[in-house]
Every structure is written in structure tokens, then in C-alpha cells.
Amino acid sequence: MTHADFDAVSVHEPAGPALPLVCDSPHSGERYPGDFGAAASLAQLRQGEDTHVDALWSAAPGLGATLIAANFPRVYIDPNRTLRDLDPELLAEPWPEALDPGEKTRLGKGLIWRRMDKATPIYDRKLTLAEVRHRIEAYYEPYHAALSRAIQQVTQRFGAVWHLNLHSMPNDAYERLGRESEHPLADFVLGDRDGQTCEPEFIALIEAALRDKGYTVARNDPYKGVQLIAQIGQPALNRHSLQVEIRRPLYMDEATRERNAGFEPLRADLSDVLAQVAAYVRVRQAALA
Ligand SMILES: [Zn+2]
């Protein structure tokens, strides 16, 4: 077992009576491990962060939810990918187990990112199997263990779970994805993998709460949700999982990663949305009990 340079994951338990509500922020980590060995600059690497997303949703524990956040950066290793989603081009030697790299991995954004964009490779070297294993054992696996534990605990206790998988997105998301769009990027993109990962009432509630606050909201365009909600969201088993993407200029300067004047108003709005989610979960849970 290898050790991380710092706590890989922060778990904020419910401050009062617990609800079957779990929130996780896999990409807001800002601590860069000493063995990263990247050629790209810190400013370039930070473009991959969902900076401050955990802070935007900081009301969650006070409302009875568990809030889990990664402290390491997603470009180092991404908790929202499967372990088979590893890019063989990164490696100095062949990986000993079967791999199944997906489309994002071919673009350089798999389990371990290879490049920020076409012009910006992250490394000027290949990674050894030992350093990839260290990233998995010391960072990726502790994150998944903490999230699984929280999901299991509430599912055992309440017979159900509602899960919010929290992210933010660059203002030029369509360009980065190489997609044309007839409309501008929405303020919020809710992803349920085209209706597969949660009950329709759950996504409808959050969409309505955000629209009430004056935000534009899209569903599954351009992000549908990736590994975490696919794994956790099983509505037939009373496991409801939804991805929430926030357009970054609403709350931060994308170049400096500093919070802007929009941060506090957005956090206040999200705290109110979370209170509505908590009320919904309380009613749904009572109906199941
Ligand atoms: Zn993200």
C-alpha cells in the first residue's frame, strides 16, 4: 500500500439528522502531488479543475447530506473514469491487465489525462507502471472507497439514496468537445445519461428550482454524466444519481481560477436549491419507510 502526500479525500458528514442524500465533488481538488512530474505549467493543469465546486455546495452537510470532495486534481487521476479507461500511450510498459479506453481517453482525457488540448501535452515522458499504480492506490481508490461507503451506509439505513455528482464546465465547452451548437452553453447542465440514472421527478425538481432562480438549464447537452452516476444511479433499486455541471464564469475567473463577484450569490442560490432537494428527499424517504 502506498501513501498519498495528503488526505486524498475530504468527507463532510451530516451536521444534524442524516438524510439519504450524498453529494460528491470529484474534480475540485487543488493539491498537486509531488510526484506529478508534468511538463505542462500549473496554470495549464489547473484548467482541468472544477475549482471551488465543493465550496459552492457547502450547505449540504448542514441540511443532512454527506459531502465528499477529492483533494487531488483530476488531471493527475480522474475518479470519474473506470480503471480500464487508461490510455496505453501514456505508459512506458504495457499494462498487465486488459484495458478499455473510451472516446474521451483517445482525446487525451481518460483515467490519467495525457494532454490538456491538442496543443498542450501534459508530459514529456512516459509514466511507469509503479507510478500509475501509486495514483490508483493512494488517490483513486480512497476516493471511491469513501463514496461507496457513504452510498452503502445510507442505502442500508434508508433503503434508498439520492446522489448529486457535482462539477463545473468551461465556458467554451462546445468548442472543446469539437461540437457545433445552435444555442449558447446553459448555466447549468443536468446529466442523467438520457433518463437512465434517476427518477424523472428528481431531475425535474432541480431543473425547476434553478429556473426559478433565473438560470438557464439544459439536460444531457453537452454532458450526460460519466462513470460515477452510471455506477451509482439505479432507479429501479431506489438509487438516484444526477450530474450537475455549472458554467464556470458564473462564479470564477477561468484564467486565474479566483472566485468572482458571482460566487457568493451563486452559493446562496445553491444552498436554497439544496434545501428544496432535502425537503424532496425527506418526503420520498417517508413514503418508502
Ligand atoms: Zn468535473
Side-chain angles (χ1 to χ4, degrees), residues 26-28 48-50 53 74 78 80 165-169 243-245 248:
H27 296 156
S28 50
E49 293 173 7
D50 295 350
V53 162
R74 72 105 78 86
D78 188 345
N80 203 21
N165 183 231
L166 306 171
H167 298 263
S168 67
M169 55 190 173
Q243 175 172 282
V244 181
E245 294 269 6
R248 289 180 188 152

Side-chain angles (χ1 to χ4, degrees), residues 26-27 72-82 109-113 140 144 167 227-228:
H27 296 156
F72 56 92
R74 72 105 78 86
V75 294
Y76 180 74
I77 189 161
D78 188 345
N80 203 21
R81 298 283 185 270
T82 68
K109 297 180 175 177
L111 175 68
I112 294 176
W113 283 25
Y140 180 100
H144 276 260
H167 298 263
Q227 194 242 343
L228 289 167

